[in-house]
């Protein structure tokens, strides 16, 4: 399949709307309403749970959707490093950078 410039432009524009919509609609809905405190407390855990689900899947599930019990020691060790750094810094950006560096270095060593 061959993609031309218009296909790429359409993908970028559609990607913008897919990424922008879930951020804009709640703001539009809640600008004139008071957000309940329980909702704010609950939303604090959403980014952590999504990030955890993505990372755990990549470490313990293969491309054929089978459980991997061994062979990813470097990824498991890197995830432990990221957990410690995340707890210490409370920064998603720093955790991601350290995680990428840890995976790269541990993959070369192990």
């Amino acid at each position: 399949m061959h993609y031309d410039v218009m296909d790429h432009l359409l993908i970028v524009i559609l990607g913008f709307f897919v990424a922008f919509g879930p951020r804009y609609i709640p703001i539009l809905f809640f600008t004139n309403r008071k957000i309940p405190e329980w909702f704010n407390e609950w939303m604090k855990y959403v980014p952590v749970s999504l990030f955890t689900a993505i990372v755990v899947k990549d470490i313990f599930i293969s491309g054929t959707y089978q459980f991997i019990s061994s062979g990813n020691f470097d990824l498991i060790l890197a995830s432990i490093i990221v957990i410690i750094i995340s707890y210490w810094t409370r920064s998603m950006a720093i955790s991601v950078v350290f995680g990428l560096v840890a995976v790269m270095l541990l993959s070369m060593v192990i």
Side-chain angles (χ1 to χ4, degrees), residues 56-57 59-70 72 76:
V56 168
K57 183 221 170 271
I59 293 174
F60 295 110
I61 306 295
S62 72
T64 59
Y65 297 104
Q66 303 213 350
F67 180 72
I68 301 171
S69 60
S70 63
N72 284 341
I76 294 170

Side-chain angles (χ1 to χ4, degrees), residues 15-101:
F16 165 78
F17 284 115
V18 167
F20 183 72
R23 290 170 176 84
Y24 180 70
I25 292 170
I27 291 172
L28 183 67
F29 182 72
F30 286 115
T31 52
N32 298 330
R33 294 173 179 82
K34 180 160 173 36
I35 299 172
E37 188 61 34
W38 63 267
F39 186 76
N40 285 334
E41 288 295 320
W42 178 74
M43 287 301 288
K44 289 180 185 177
Y45 298 104
V46 171
V48 174
S49 62
L50 291 175
F51 189 68
T52 303
I54 292 169
V55 170
V56 168
K57 183 221 170 271
D58 285 342
I59 293 174
F60 295 110
I61 306 295
S62 72
T64 59
Y65 297 104
Q66 303 213 350
F67 180 72
I68 301 171
S69 60
S70 63
N72 284 341
F73 182 70
D74 53 343
L75 297 178
I76 294 170
L77 189 57
S79 66
I80 292 170
I81 292 169
V82 169
I83 289 170
I84 293 167
I85 290 174
S86 297
Y87 182 76
W88 185 52
T89 64
R90 307 275 189 208
S91 169
M92 181 71 82
I94 293 172
S95 302
V96 168
V97 169
F98 271 91
L100 290 172
V101 170

